[in-house]
Amino acid sequence: SFVVPVLGDLHIDPRKMEDYSTGREHILSIIDDAKSTLGDDYVKDGNGIAMVSLGDLGESKNCDHNEDNPFELFAGTSQCHDTAAEFLGSFGVPYEVIGGNHDLEGIDEFDTDAKNLRRFLRSHNKETPQFCRQVAEKTLLVGLCSTIFREAKYTSHEVIIDDDQIRWFEELVKSKPADEGWRVFVFSHAPPNGSGIRIIQENHVVNGCCWLNHSDEKNCRKFIEIVREHRCIKGWFSGHFHLGQDYQDSI
């Protein structure tokens, strides 16, 4: 068995950390129950529990965080990523994180997506934008990360998974057949087109930032095609819409 707390769009505002402390306590109670159920020795060996953040780590507004630039957005800055890493690392279990459409928004600090992405990775001790973690026997947590903001062809807020990640993802699920008992749970900031998740028509759809790789017809449908072909994929978690989970088509 295993337990995976999944955190949606945190949009951390450093002026309001007491709110995040309250939310943290809710998650810690789940983690403590899991440790008690699974056993400390099992968990200490890196089994059974890990946390995943779905991206959009910082608030996309000025948060009185930089006296030298009162107009700088907090999202995507070094301070944002370090604050998020400290928060995510405070739960006492391993965590994984992928970037959303606001996590490379440090446009005043970084002049390219590549520099901003490297800072994001360094803050979270990540070697690659994507991740793959085994949480239980033949059970993988797999994350896909948005890597484009400034260089987007259309809206900067499209959640774009680059071609290298798509190839990596497809090869990974090919190597983990369901008939051999593999289970894969996928995490991305926006959902794949075809998932049936409730969306916001007047915001994300009309602006071309609703689904993964929204503006690229071939790659936009690629993700659901992979899901349909590879039965090892048992679930796909996403955030982005800020709608919560209290309605039927949130899952």
Side-chain angles (χ1 to χ4, degrees):
S1 61
F2 60 95
V3 174
V4 181
V6 181
L7 305 185
D9 303 30
L10 290 173
H11 287 291
I12 289 173
D13 185 331
R15 301 167 298 182
K16 302 176 181 179
M17 292 309 295
E18 65 276 7
D19 295 337
Y20 296 91
S21 295
T22 300
R24 178 177 175 274
E25 292 303 315
H26 297 167
I27 300 299
L28 282 176
S29 67
I30 297 171
I31 290 173
D32 290 342
D33 287 346
K35 288 180 177 179
S36 176
T37 301
L38 296 171
D40 286 339
D41 291 339
Y42 182 71
V43 173
K44 284 178 182 178
D45 289 337
N47 302 308
I49 188 165
M51 190 171 68
V52 177
S53 171
L54 297 172
D56 273 10
L57 301 175
E59 189 67 279
S60 183
K61 63 175 68 171
N62 182 269
C63 296
D64 301 325
H65 61 283
N66 185 352
E67 293 181 357
D68 295 329
N69 185 353
F71 303 105
E72 180 184 57
L73 303 179
F74 183 65
T77 62
S78 293
Q79 185 178 345
C80 170
H81 291 311
D82 289 344
T83 301
E86 181 180 359
F87 178 73
L88 293 172
S90 71
F91 289 81
V93 295
Y95 79 86
E96 299 286 354
V97 60
I98 41 97
N101 53 297
H102 288 290
D103 292 310
L104 300 183
E105 204 169 14
I107 55 177
D108 290 328
E109 182 178 356
F110 305 99
D111 58 3
T112 67
D113 288 337
K115 291 178 182 178
N116 211 161
L117 180 62
R118 283 197 295 271
R119 188 64 175 85
F120 165 77
L121 297 178
R122 186 163 77 249
S123 291
H124 298 283
N125 295 314
K126 291 170 61 69
E127 295 184 1
T128 62
Q130 71 271 21
F131 70 80
C132 178
R133 173 182 290 271
Q134 184 161 340
V135 71
E137 183 178 2
K138 290 193 173 182
T139 305
L140 301 180
L141 310 179
V142 175
L144 301 172
C145 179
S146 188
T147 56
I148 301 295
F149 184 80
R150 298 155 189 78
E151 299 157 25
K153 184 176 181 181
Y154 300 108
T155 174
S156 294
H157 291 289
E158 181 179 2
V159 180
I160 299 173
I161 310 301
D162 57 75
D163 290 343
D164 288 342
Q165 286 187 80
I166 295 174
R167 284 191 292 269
W168 171 85
F169 177 52
E170 190 163 22
E171 289 302 315
L172 176 66
V173 294
K174 282 181 181 178
S175 70
K176 309 298 180 186
D179 57 11
E180 293 182 9
W182 284 98
R183 300 176 295 179
V184 176
F185 296 88
V186 187
F187 303 83
S188 62
H189 183 66
N193 194 3
S195 64
I197 292 290
R198 181 177 295 197
I199 50 82
I200 303 177
Q201 179 78 28
E202 62 272 21
N203 185 358
H204 298 102
V205 176
V206 299
N207 288 316
C209 60
C210 186
W211 301 287
L212 295 177
N213 297 49
H214 188 135
S215 68
D216 183 331
E217 183 178 353
K218 179 181 177 181
N219 279 341
C220 186
R221 67 170 183 263
K222 180 69 173 177
F223 301 101
I224 201 67
E225 291 172 350
I226 292 174
V227 171
R228 290 166 177 163
E229 182 177 355
H230 299 284
R231 307 314 296 172
C232 63
I233 300 175
K234 304 303 183 184
W236 193 307
F237 295 82
S238 60
H240 193 40
F241 302 133
H242 300 196
L243 292 175
Q245 280 75 48
D246 57 348
Y247 48 90
Q248 185 175 4
D249 50 357
S250 67
I251 298 176

